[in-house]
């Protein structure tokens, strides 16, 4: 009988942990205060004006493809918004320098390299657009 209770406890705990992770996935999080030096590969990709969405992805990441489609479409229809996809499969030091622990992660960066916010997982389109509006000139 003890084994059944342990099994039920583990299942309940797993369900709660899964629900919490799912709730966090795709949410816009404000940037942490403090400045960090951007790797050259990232700073070279920044647009001279507006906001650049830097997507950190890996080669065999299925959610990364979905994120790429969302961000590309958003950048095409939004003035002052640029999307750059960086595959860190061969250069993990970029992810380490940016404190990226999962893919896809999207960073919203200003032309001077300041991080405005980040999204872990597949972003929610309207929530992302709402977070970008204050940072875009023609929003």
């Amino acid at each position: 009988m003890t084994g059944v209770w342990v099994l039920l406890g583990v299942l309940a705990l797993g369900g709660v942990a899964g629900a919490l992770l799912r709730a966090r996935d795709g949410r816009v999080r404000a940037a942490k205060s403090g400045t960090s030096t951007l790797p050259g590969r990232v700073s070279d990709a920044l647009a001279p004006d507006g906001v650049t969405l830097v997507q950190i992805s890996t080669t065999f990441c299925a959610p990364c493809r979905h994120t790429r489609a969302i961000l590309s479409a958003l950048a095409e229809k939004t003035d002052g918004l640029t999307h750059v996809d960086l595959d860190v499969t061969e250069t993990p030091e970029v992810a380490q320098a940016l404190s990226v622990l999962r893919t896809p992660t999207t960073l919203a960066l200003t032309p001077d390299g300041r991080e405005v916010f980040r999204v872990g997982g597949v972003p929610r389109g309207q929530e992302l657009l709402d977070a970008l509006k204050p940072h875009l000139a023609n929003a």
Side-chain angles (χ1 to χ4, degrees), residues 26-47:
R27 295 268 181 190
V28 173
R29 293 182 300 147
K32 295 177 183 174
S33 60
T35 58
S36 63
T37 305
L38 293 177
R41 188 171 170 199
V42 176
S43 59
D44 292 345
L46 295 178

Side-chain angles (χ1 to χ4, degrees), residues 99-116:
S99 300
V100 172
L101 300 176
R102 64 181 284 195
T103 58
T105 294
T106 304
L107 307 172
L109 301 172
T110 60
D112 62 352
R114 183 177 54 88
E115 182 179 329
V116 177

Side-chain angles (χ1 to χ4, degrees), residues 3 6 14 19 37 51 53 57 65 69 83 92 94-95 99 101-102 107 110 112 115 133 138-139:
V6 169
T37 305
V51 176
L53 295 176
S57 58
R65 290 189 289 273
H83 171 241
V94 171
S99 300
L101 300 176
R102 64 181 284 195
L107 307 172
T110 60
D112 62 352
E115 182 179 329
K133 282 184 181 181
N138 299 330

Side-chain angles (χ1 to χ4, degrees), residues 53-55 66-76 81 83 106 123 128:
L53 295 176
V54 178
Q55 176 186 344
H66 189 144
T67 299
R68 186 177 305 112
I70 291 170
L71 298 180
S72 294
L74 191 61
E76 284 178 15
L81 187 62
H83 171 241
T106 304
L128 182 64

